[in-house]
Amino acid sequence: MTQWEVVIGLEIHAQVTTQSKLFCSCSTQFGSTPNTQVCPVCTGMPGALPVLNRTVLDKAITLGLATHCTINEHNEFARKNYFYPDLPKGYQISQLDKPICSLGYLDVEVDGSTRRIGLTRIHMEEDAGKLVHQGSDNIKGATHSLVDLNRSSVPLVEIVSEPDIRSAKEAKAYMESMAQIVRWLGVCDGNLEEGSLRCDANISLRPKGTETLGTKTEVKNLNSFKSVERAILLEIERQTDILDEGGTIIQETRHYNEATNSTKSLRSKEEAHDYRYFPDPDLVPIAIDRAWVSRIEQTLPELPTARHKRYQTELGLSDYDAGKMTVDRETGDFFEATLSLGSSAKEIANWLNGDISAWLKEHSSTLAICKLTPAHLAEMLKELINGTISGKIAKQLVDDMLETGTHPSTLIKEKGLAQVNDTGAINQMIDIVLSENPKAVEDLKAGKVQTMGFIVGQVMRKSQGKANPDQVNKRLKELFSLS
Ligand SMILES: [Zn+2]
């Protein structure tokens, strides 16, 4: 039987983070009352003229540079003509053969090895409005539909990959990596739930060892990383079955349903010429000079992959920790700021990955909005390392700092949390605990080392976590001649 090779290309639509829309000053705020963020331009009124939002151009260039694209100094907008009720102009303003960026790549880590995925182009375009179907979830069965144009003309960049992806897993890794980069650069907020990042997949099969591309289908509505992987797996299976039985693949667009994990045919796939693209006469071609691009190039931050590698080679972090510390820009910057105050990389990573991340998750918060600062974390770590506080108290402090934003030394002083290192005080507590637990004393005398943990625990409890556990251990060993 023929062995099939999977060929996948992804088109990712990312909403560009801006205050206003692509060609007018209407707000891009998500979730507002329908049709309150509209004007003659984004509703396609006759005579209204679009003016390009420069921020979108800057952000598209930023993304292009970060993904090794050529920035096309001459690029232009084109009209993509089609009719749908959510598109009042009857055309979408997009870019076709003269996009802002072309021919880049993204290196993606899959199962410990690096795969280079080529980028055909990145272009700017406007979003369409939204249909709200009444009486049903979808258009079939709806009694009528309402049009909300708040989203009409919201700026997007479409990132089109080469057909370089070879499995569903790779596709998911590529999408995750792209999401991380657009968020890192501030190009897009990466919010999949609000539709800021959407993906369509072009999938085809060909006999292993051949070069000619097979007929592809396009699967739409992939709104989560999981959907990307699951929908592609389904489509590979569907195409394999057809080809194995000697059938042919029909070029079509299929819709993925996340709830039922199934795809169904939407329409036979249209070609670019069906849209009668032509240069938009209302918008002048864009001319970008080198100095403009250089200016943006100079503000480009160190990218997550580079940082990930640096944390491993320069700071000795594990692959896991380095990945966690570069998961997003705010974590990376928080980590760096704490590091610059003299804390150890491993200690910071442990606390950020452990107690801090658990607290943030529980309180639906993030490092950017919580009250903990790098200075406070660094100070707490210093007190922990020099023995002023115990590990147990440190955990309590982290919670308090996150909750109230109070400086750790203030908390230590106010709540009397300093670790008890005074030998006299510790010995006294041990004596009390031993007198309360005669059975344990017998066991210790008989050399049952495991009983020591129980006694240490009791002493820690009596001291409300403040006794230095090392000293308690040492004293008990002396008392009962244990090793
Ligand atoms: Zn508008």
Side-chain angles (χ1 to χ4, degrees), residues 217-236:
T217 56
E218 182 178 15
V219 182
K220 283 190 174 291
N221 194 39
L222 310 178
N223 301 328
S224 69
F225 300 125
K226 200 175 73 187
S227 294
V228 171
E229 189 172 26
R230 290 170 81 195
I232 291 174
L233 283 174
L234 276 178
E235 187 54 17
I236 292 171

Side-chain angles (χ1 to χ4, degrees), residues 21 24-26 37-42:
K21 294 184 179 180
C24 60
S25 58
C26 292
Q37 293 166 181
V38 292
C39 74
V41 176
C42 56

Side-chain angles (χ1 to χ4, degrees), residues 14 22 26 84 90 100 147 156 200 248 330 400 402 426 443 455:
L22 185 51
C26 292
Y84 206 63
I100 174 80
V147 186
L156 306 174
D200 303 332
T248 49
E330 60 192 39
D400 286 348
L402 281 158
I426 288 178
D443 289 347
I455 295 293

Side-chain angles (χ1 to χ4, degrees), residues 15-22 24-32 37 53 150-151 153-155:
Q15 180 181 330
V16 183
T17 311
T18 54
Q19 299 286 319
S20 56
K21 294 184 179 180
L22 185 51
C24 60
S25 58
C26 292
S27 167
T28 55
Q29 182 72 42
F30 178 81
S32 304
Q37 293 166 181
N53 180 341
N150 279 353
R151 214 176 67 188
S153 213
V154 156

